[in-house]
């Protein structure tokens, strides 16, 4: 990495944002982890997906998802406004591109709650920025119990989500990090530690190269 250019002093360059992707089988706790991370970290922004699935009673349009009719979803996709899209559990989901690009320009991190198909596409589009974390449930009975306790899916939908869980877990072997959501606080702290370490990677902090150069200069002037 070059230490400094005349056009843009490194000290003025913002930190390069992390695109943090969380995936798991449905019910493992992504949404709960996402909420907790957003509540306690003001440098990270949630990527709000567009989806054709029905809104759950606990969800708000524009907060959890942008709930769209199939026709409107297709218009967005065909206009090239989605960074990635996939069909998951029989519904369409996609990541709007513009907010992600804006966050990166601002030196902010972006959090994604997307499936393995979407992860693959975002990684292809932005390979350097993506950090992938797979969340495993502690056991199958606990995964079932969480889906039932959440009480936001029909029995048929829960069966479908459990059928898809094995595929999702299998795809988890392509993720860089893996955490088990058993004790929630421990799991949350592990995700925070991953994010923190990734933020500190040298290439994401070009301004520190300028600092290093100044320290060397000062030391050699003595
Ligand atoms: P949950 O798994 O119970 O949280 O159920 P959701 O209905 O919220 O999500 C359904 C699936 O769609 C999950 O696997 C998500 O990771 C995935 N998903 C959500 N948003 C996106 C997106 O923008 N793009 C893609 N590709 N997948 C998404
Ligand atoms: P996902 O977004 O992966 O489908 P959720 O975040 O909606 O999963 O979590 C599913 C259910 O499990 C929710 O009712 C949530 O409160 C609960 N849950 C999440 N993490 C834990 C945990 N560590 N221990 C017990 N229950 C949990
Ligand atoms: P739910 O319907 O329970 O909200 O989400 C089901 C699955 O869809 C979850 O695994 C979630 O991560 C995934 N998902 C949500 N939004 C997107 C998206 O924009 N793109 C992709 N690929 N998956 C998504």
């Amino acid at each position: 990495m070059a230490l400094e250019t005349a056009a843009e002093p490194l000290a003025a360059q913002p930190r390069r944002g992390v695109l943090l992707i969380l995936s798991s089988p449905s019910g493992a706790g992504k949404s709960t982890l996402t909420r907790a991370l957003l509540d306690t970290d003001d440098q990270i922004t949630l990527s709000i997906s567009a989806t054709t699935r029905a809104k759950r009673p606990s969800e708000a349009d524009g907060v959890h998802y942008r709930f769209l009719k199939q026709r409107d979803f297709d218009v967005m996709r065909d206009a090239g406004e989605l960074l990635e899209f996939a069909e998951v559990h029989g519904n369409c989901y996609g990541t709007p591109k513009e907010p992600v690009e804006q966050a990166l320009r601002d030196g902010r991190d972006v959090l994604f709650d997307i499936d393995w198909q979407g992860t693959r596409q975002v990684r292809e589009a932005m390979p350097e920025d993506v950090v992938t974390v797979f969340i495993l449930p502690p056991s199958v009975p606990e995964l079932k119990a969480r889906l039932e306790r959440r009480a936001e899916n029909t029995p048929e939908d829960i069966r479908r989500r459990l059928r898809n869980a094995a595929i999702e877990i299998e795809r988890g072997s392509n993720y860089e990090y893996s955490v088990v959501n058993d004790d929630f606080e421990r799991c949350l702290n592990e995700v925070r530690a991953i994010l923190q370490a990734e933020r500190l990677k040298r290439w994401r902090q070009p301004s520190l190269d300028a600092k290093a150069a100044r320290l060397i200069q000062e030391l050699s002037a003595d």
Side-chain angles (χ1 to χ4, degrees), residues 26 30 49 53 65 84 93-95 113-115 150 161:
S26 185
K30 294 179 299 295
S49 298
R53 92 151 152 75
Y65 283 105
E84 63 78 30
Y93 293 86
T95 303
D113 167 349
I114 62 175
D115 84 323
R150 185 169 71 182
R161 282 164 189 266

Side-chain angles (χ1 to χ4, degrees), residues 23-35 56 65 89 113 135 138 142-143 145-153 161 180-185 187:
S23 297
S24 78
S26 185
K30 294 179 299 295
S31 312
T32 315
L33 285 164
T34 297
R35 244 175 288 128
R56 295 175 186 155
Y65 283 105
H89 315 314
D113 167 349
I135 297 144
E142 175 61 15
L143 183 64
R146 286 186 191 171
L147 281 169
E148 280 157 13
R149 220 180 304 135
R150 185 169 71 182
E152 299 217 68
N153 304 98
R161 282 164 189 266
V180 179
N181 183 16
D182 191 348
D183 178 71
F184 182 77
E185 282 304 318
C187 180

